[in-house]
Amino acid sequence: MLLLFETAAGHALYELKNEAKLKGLDPDKLALKLNTEGGAAKALTLKKFAPFRDTTEAVAAATDFVESKLNKQLKKFLKKEVTLNGVELGVADPKLGAIIKEKLDIPCVANSFVNECLRGARSLAFTGDEANGSVADSGDVRAMQLGLSHSLSRYKLKFSPDKVDTMVVQAVGLLDDLDKEVNTYAMRVKEWYGWHFPEMARLVNDNVHYAELVRKVKDRTNFKNSLDVVTEVLDDDETAARSLLETAELSMGTEVDPSDMDHVVALADQVVELSAYRKRLADYLRARMQALAPNLTTLVGELVGARLVQHAGSIMNLAKQPASTVQILGAEKALFRALKTKHDTPKYGLIYHASLIGQAAPKNKGKIARVLAAKCSLAVRVDALGDGDDATLGIEARAKVEARLRQLEGGALRAAAPNGTPKKLVDVVSGASAPGYSAASDVVLSDKKEKKKKKKKRKAEDDGDDDEAAAKKAKKSAKKAKKEAEEGSAKKKKKKDKK
């Protein structure tokens, strides 16, 4: 019997001596015999060793071996070395053995006896003694194993089918961090610059415009000579620019030292730069989501879709989730709190921010969330496992959700769907038939006489109700008085009997 032994240095072929004698031993005795270097050297001899030429070849061979594939190098090696008919080849992987038998017509064996023999070959292969069947020194083999493991890890990360959604997860996480940072920095700029020009915060609401004015105009005394700059920053709104200039002349703010102003301007630069980068990142995320999950993006938009992928961990994990889980993804705290307190469970999680749910009335949001989650579950499975990159399924699914929304709302949609709704969907929505005018639903006002009659009738009914209530009250009080009288007479009778 021959043994195929895979190492980080190459392929080794060992010949097993005294096979019948070794097979007759107990598994424990066999392991004890082959565990030592001397015992392994007596039972095994190295027939041939084919080293890898470079790390690339080693990574390719290791990858094929892990996936139970027969690569060209191993096929060539076995064809050349295993030439005797009827000789069995011991392998560690039964699947690889089946492939070798099918392709090369070499009978293969993969059982516990072969595994024990391969353990013996492992103890023999890395001793550094070539005369006893060693392929390399133990120190060299450890270095080869370390280099191969690093190269194999890099290869798997580089060619992983899930590598693209990693970029989406990181991008949407960075987008949230940028929003927090920009808001924090912008509030700090307003608070800092507000000591010098407090009125500007009321006139300029946009954080980026505010920071642009601070970095370009700086001191408030420069506003009167900067009408063009202010107008350009405020999107060519000359009225707002003139109002700001007039306010700057009458401002109640304090004077600021130039060195202090330099730090305020530096912080304003950070706000403007981070805001610009945030826009570029949002465009990148939109393009990446269109490439990664076009159907999911069509249904819920790129931002909500990216958050769903981020929360699930990867698009493949999201594709494995049922629609009921997709519906409440992101509301786990509320779900477990509701289960613990035996209250109603949440109807939606991250999917609540989708534009289709935003268009629904409050009473219909739960129903639309359920329908949308079902369509999202189908769409993300097509995106993750399908070969195409078109959004046909997403367009059709969105049209069905909008039709269901119109059915629940009893008419047309309340607002146009954002997030770049495809033209086909716009045509579907605009082509919906609006309910016609119904003359039967008109209400005609009655005459004054009829109003008076109704008023009198209502008053009479109210009076009758009052009389009936008074009669009931009198009857009740009479009953109570009669009962008290009977109790008093009973007490008197008892007293007489005692006497």
Side-chain angles (χ1 to χ4, degrees):
M1 177 185 281
L2 298 176
L3 298 175
L4 177 62
F5 183 60
E6 293 271 350
T7 69
H11 299 291
L13 200 63
Y14 281 89
E15 186 175 357
L16 186 64
K17 296 181 289 187
N18 301 323
E19 179 185 348
K21 185 178 178 181
L22 292 173
K23 280 185 176 179
L25 296 175
D26 293 332
D28 295 336
K29 289 183 179 180
L30 179 64
L32 192 64
K33 183 177 179 61
L34 296 176
N35 194 27
T36 60
E37 184 182 337
K42 290 179 182 177
L44 298 167
T45 56
L46 179 64
K47 183 179 181 184
K48 188 67 177 178
F49 176 65
F52 296 128
R53 287 174 293 181
D54 51 20
T55 309
T56 307
E57 188 176 321
V59 170
T63 306
D64 291 336
F65 187 74
V66 168
E67 295 174 357
S68 302
K69 292 180 181 178
L70 180 65
N71 62 359
K72 290 182 180 179
Q73 186 194 8
L74 181 59
K75 187 176 181 181
K76 187 177 178 182
F77 174 69
L78 292 176
K79 267 187 179 180
K80 186 178 178 181
E81 301 301 330
V82 186
T83 55
L84 298 174
N85 293 327
V87 176
E88 291 182 331
L89 180 66
V91 294
D93 188 2
K95 292 182 181 178
L96 180 62
I99 295 171
I100 292 173
K101 186 176 181 181
E102 181 184 349
K103 296 283 181 70
L104 303 177
D105 198 22
I106 298 174
C108 296
V109 181
N111 51 29
S112 59
F113 174 73
V114 172
N115 290 335
E116 289 296 337
C117 293
L118 287 173
R119 287 193 185 95
R122 186 178 296 109
S123 64
L124 188 65
F126 307 137
T127 58
D129 187 2
E130 295 182 5
N132 287 335
S134 176
V135 298
D137 186 64
S138 59
D140 296 338
V141 170
R142 285 196 190 94
M144 291 176 188
Q145 288 174 342
L146 183 63
L148 180 60
S149 62
H150 287 175
S151 301
L152 190 61
S153 300
R154 282 194 294 271
Y155 175 83
K156 285 192 172 183
L157 287 174
K158 185 177 178 182
F159 297 102
S160 171
D162 299 332
K163 63 183 173 61
V164 181
D165 58 14
T166 305
M167 303 302 170
V168 168
V169 169
Q170 297 297 332
V172 74
L174 179 58
L175 202 67
D176 293 338
D177 293 340
L178 279 176
D179 287 335
K180 293 176 184 176
E181 292 296 324
V182 169
N183 285 333
T184 304
Y185 285 8
M187 291 302 104
R188 181 64 61 188
V189 168
K190 285 188 176 182
E191 186 178 349
W192 204 347
Y193 192 74
W195 286 95
H196 181 60
F197 189 3
E199 295 85 1
M200 194 168 90
R202 176 173 50 85
L203 297 173
V204 183
N205 295 321
D206 189 80
N207 292 334
V208 180
H209 288 171
Y210 191 99
E212 282 277 3
L213 289 172
V214 171
R215 71 189 294 217
K216 289 184 177 180
V217 182
K218 298 181 181 179
D219 199 285
R220 72 164 185 267
T221 57
N222 298 333
F223 273 92
K224 59 183 178 182
N225 300 324
S226 308
L227 178 61
D228 295 338
V229 175
V230 175
T231 306
E232 183 184 355
V233 171
L234 296 178
D235 298 331
D236 297 330
D237 190 352
E238 192 172 344
T239 306
R242 290 189 179 279
S243 174
L244 188 61
L245 265 59
E246 292 171 1
T247 309
E249 294 180 2
L250 304 172
S251 176
M252 300 294 292
T254 61
E255 295 298 327
V256 176
D257 190 79
S259 61
D260 297 331
M261 183 60 70
D262 290 341
H263 288 286
V264 179
V265 172
L267 184 58
D269 289 339
Q270 291 289 325
V271 173
V272 174
E273 290 171 7
L274 285 175
S275 299
Y277 175 63
R278 199 255 179 217
K279 288 181 181 177
R280 295 198 302 273
L281 185 65
D283 294 338
Y284 163 78
L285 182 63
R286 186 178 299 109
R288 183 60 74 185
M289 280 299 295
Q290 285 289 350
L292 175 69
N295 293 294
L296 182 64
T297 305
T298 303
L299 274 170
V300 296
E302 66 278 350
L303 199 57
V304 177
R307 291 190 197 286
L308 288 172
V309 173
Q310 180 195 31
H311 201 82
S314 68
I315 191 168
M316 193 61 68
N317 289 346
L318 184 62
K320 293 175 184 176
Q321 306 293 343
S324 56
T325 304
V326 174
Q327 182 181 348
I328 60 169
L329 207 64
E332 288 82 5
K333 270 188 180 178
L335 174 65
F336 291 119
R337 186 170 60 244
L339 292 174
K340 186 178 180 181
T341 58
K342 297 183 180 179
H343 285 89
D344 293 336
T345 53
K347 296 178 181 178
Y348 26 65
L350 291 170
I351 205 171
Y352 177 79
H353 301 287
S355 60
L356 287 169
I357 296 179
Q359 295 174 63
K363 63 179 181 179
N364 296 326
K365 285 186 186 294
K367 294 178 181 178
I368 294 300
R370 188 162 58 250
V371 174
L372 184 60
K375 298 300 180 185
C376 285
S377 182
L378 291 175
V380 76
R381 287 170 192 172
V382 172
D383 290 331
L385 306 170
D387 296 329
D389 56 351
D390 60 334
T392 307
L393 179 74
I395 292 170
E396 293 174 357
R398 180 161 184 141
K400 290 178 182 177
V401 176
E402 289 182 342
R404 175 61 176 158
L405 180 57
R406 284 196 301 273
Q407 183 184 3
L408 291 172
E409 297 287 337
L413 296 180
R414 297 194 299 167
N419 294 328
T421 306
K423 291 183 179 179
K424 292 182 180 179
L425 294 182
V426 176
D427 296 340
V428 170
V429 174
S430 59
S433 58
Y437 172 74
S438 176
S441 61
D442 287 346
V443 179
V444 182
L445 295 175
S446 57
D447 296 333
K448 290 183 179 179
K449 291 182 179 179
E450 291 180 0
K451 282 185 178 181
K452 286 182 180 179
K453 286 181 181 179
K454 287 182 179 179
K455 194 173 182 180
K456 287 181 180 179
K457 187 177 180 181
R458 197 159 43 244
K459 191 175 181 181
E461 287 176 356
D462 293 341
D463 292 342
D465 291 342
D466 293 342
D467 295 341
E468 188 177 349
K472 283 183 179 180
K473 193 174 181 181
K475 189 176 181 182
K476 195 174 180 180
S477 59
K479 194 175 181 181
K480 190 176 179 181
K482 186 178 179 182
K483 190 176 180 181
E484 288 176 354
E486 288 177 354
E487 287 177 355
S489 61
K491 285 180 181 179
K492 288 179 181 179
K493 192 175 182 182
K494 283 183 181 179
K495 285 181 181 180
K496 285 181 181 179
D497 293 340
K498 285 180 180 180
K499 288 178 181 179

